[in-house]
């Protein structure tokens, strides 16, 4: 039995993949590998173990605010926590926020801006980014801002007056608005859905008529770890949940993507190698398999004779 945990980020994995891969190669008799961490490393390990792997890996996690508006301050606070607590360095961090036009009318983006502005290094609500330096973060921000109609909602620049080494990121909580009609574009989809493992999120606005394309976005995202449907409308919740496959989903007005209790299943979906952590069910799913034991002790029937070969 072999466990490996690793940072959930491509930049880090490019540095340390060979070390991880080398350590696995040393395990000659590994029957099953459970891996938590980067999808980049997971694919490498899947090759080395010849598929003998269970994966709880990365995710570009979405949250959708439904048409029913309420508890605005709480919902805003939870969105801020999901995107920026611990600098967004969580595999379940809120990567993209889809707000219904009704939420846009009550100024949810302004609420998020106000909350992000309260974060600071002094009280550790802003922290160093371990796996993306400022240059990489800025390059990603600049690419997103080249998308027609995109605009900076807040952030977008490095922190000032600190002693964080340059090898780490030191960047303001950042949010960029991208027009809904650009997200499914073949030209921009991959860059929009790139997981920046730091204090960064995409926000977009949709209408009731856009819901079929909302589902297309959720399906096209290639890692299906966590999701949240912020709504108390059971019909809306059923529609979204019935047409998506994320492994760990939170629904209801207070839904989140992070801060999960430790006693429930936490894992991705949509991949036969997907597994979970955090619950007895996850342990059973990962470390047990079906067996078939057929007992046939006899006796041989009286009068049995040797049949012809078949």
């Amino acid at each position: 039995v072999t466990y490996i945990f690793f940072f959930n980020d491509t930049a880090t994995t490019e540095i340390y993949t060979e070390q991880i891969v080398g350590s696995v190669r040393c395990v000659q008799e590994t029957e099953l590998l459970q891996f938590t961490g980067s999808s980049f490393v997971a694919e490498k390990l899947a090759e080395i173990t010849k598929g003998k792997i269970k994966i709880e890996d990365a995710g570009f996690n979405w949250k959708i605010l439904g048409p029913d508006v309420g508890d605005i301050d709480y919902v805003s606070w939870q969105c801020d926590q999901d995107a920026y607590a611990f600098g967004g360095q969580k595999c379940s961090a809120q990567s993209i926020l889809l707000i219904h036009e009704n939420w846009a009318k009550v100024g949810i983006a302004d609420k998020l801006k106000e909350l992000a502005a309260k974060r600071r290094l002094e009280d550790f609500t802003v922290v160093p980014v371990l796996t993306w330096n400022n240059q990489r973060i800025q390059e990603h921000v600049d690419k997103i801002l080249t998308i027609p109609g995109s605009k900076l909602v807040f952030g977008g620049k490095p922190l000032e007056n600190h002693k964080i080494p340059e090898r780490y990121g030191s960047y303001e909580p950042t949010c960029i608005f991208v027009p809904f009609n650009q997200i499914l574009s073949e030209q921009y989809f991959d860059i929009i859905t790139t997981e920046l493992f730091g204090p960064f999120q995409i926000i977009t606005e949709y209408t009731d008529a856009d819901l079929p394309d909302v589902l297309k976005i959720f399906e096209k995202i290639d890692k299906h770890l966590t999701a949240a449907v912020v709504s108390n409308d059971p019909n809306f919740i059923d529609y979204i949940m019935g047409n998506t496959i994320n492994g760990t989903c939170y629904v209801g007005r207070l839904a989140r993507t992070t801060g999960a209790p430790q006693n429930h299943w936490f894992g991705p979906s949509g991949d036969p190698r997907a597994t979970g952590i955090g619950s007895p069910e996850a342990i059973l799913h990962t470390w047990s398999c079906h067996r078939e034991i057929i007992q046939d002790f006899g006796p041989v029937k009286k009068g049995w004779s040797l049949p012809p070969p078949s």
Side-chain angles (χ1 to χ4, degrees):
V1 174
T2 303
Y3 301 86
I4 290 185
F5 173 84
F6 204 65
F7 283 114
N8 183 22
D9 179 72
T10 303
T12 306
T13 59
E14 288 173 348
I15 299 171
Y16 295 112
T17 296
E18 289 306 316
Q19 296 178 23
I20 296 176
V21 167
S23 68
V24 174
R25 285 191 176 120
C26 292
V27 183
Q28 299 297 323
E29 300 300 326
T30 297
E31 295 184 4
L32 177 67
L33 176 69
Q34 181 176 355
F35 177 75
T36 296
S38 161
S39 56
F40 179 86
V41 175
E43 294 297 339
K44 295 288 186 182
L45 294 175
E47 295 175 11
I48 293 167
T49 60
K50 299 180 180 179
K52 294 186 293 184
I53 186 172
K54 290 286 189 178
I55 301 168
E56 187 278 305
D57 64 347
F60 184 85
N61 308 296
W62 52 264
K63 178 187 285 183
I64 184 168
L65 307 188
D68 52 315
V69 176
D71 302 299
I72 298 169
D73 287 340
Y74 186 94
V75 171
S76 302
W77 169 80
Q78 188 64 69
C79 287
D80 173 79
Q81 285 292 107
D82 286 344
Y84 303 123
F86 197 63
Q89 296 168 102
K90 302 160 288 185
C91 60
S92 56
Q94 177 180 298
S95 304
I96 185 169
L97 178 63
L98 298 93
I99 63 172
H100 190 274
E101 61 179 341
N102 294 345
W103 282 92
K105 292 173 183 176
V106 300
I108 185 74
D110 292 334
K111 290 278 189 181
L112 295 177
K113 184 176 182 178
E114 292 172 9
L115 290 166
K118 296 178 180 179
R119 293 183 172 274
R120 53 183 56 85
L121 278 170
E122 289 76 13
D123 60 6
F124 305 110
T125 52
V126 172
V127 296
V129 181
L130 300 182
T131 57
W132 283 62
N133 62 28
N134 284 350
Q135 180 181 347
R136 278 193 79 210
I137 295 173
Q138 194 64 56
E139 288 174 353
H140 185 71
V141 167
D142 292 343
K143 286 180 181 178
I144 297 293
L145 289 174
T146 65
I147 298 170
S150 64
K151 61 182 178 181
L152 186 67
V153 180
F154 55 82
K157 59 182 185 291
L159 299 172
E160 298 177 348
N161 303 319
H162 61 81
K163 297 181 181 180
I164 299 170
E166 291 185 2
R167 65 180 294 185
Y168 303 116
S170 50
Y171 210 82
E172 292 184 353
T174 296
C175 177
I176 297 179
F177 174 85
V178 174
F180 184 82
N181 61 7
Q182 296 289 353
I183 297 178
L184 280 171
S185 163
E186 290 297 328
Q187 183 177 356
Y188 300 120
F189 184 83
D190 287 345
I191 186 64
I192 291 170
T193 58
T194 294
E195 183 185 20
L196 194 167
F197 204 57
F200 178 84
Q201 68 172 324
I202 299 290
I203 188 171
T204 193
E205 180 182 337
Y206 74 97
T207 66
D208 291 340
D210 293 323
L211 279 173
D213 284 336
V214 167
L215 297 179
K216 290 178 182 178
I217 291 169
F218 295 161
E219 176 65 24
K220 194 172 180 181
I221 293 171
D222 66 351
K223 302 297 177 187
H224 303 282
L225 182 55
T226 60
V229 182
V230 179
S231 174
N232 280 348
D233 180 347
N235 292 325
F236 181 80
I237 292 170
D238 287 349
Y239 178 75
I240 300 296
M241 287 292 93
N243 290 282
T244 54
I245 62 170
N246 291 63
T248 305
C249 303
Y250 301 87
V251 301
R253 180 67 56 71
L254 310 187
R256 59 198 183 275
T257 64
T258 60
Q262 295 181 350
N263 61 344
H264 76 182
W265 173 281
F266 186 78
S269 185
D271 188 318
R273 302 166 301 177
T275 193
I277 57 175
S279 70
E281 181 188 0
I283 295 171
L284 288 171
H285 178 82
T286 304
W287 298 110
S288 64
C289 63
H290 181 81
R291 296 179 68 201
E292 202 75 19
I293 300 173
I294 299 93
Q295 297 181 347
D296 198 353
F297 299 115
V300 175
K301 293 181 180 179
K302 290 183 180 180
W304 183 87
S305 61
L306 188 69
S310 60

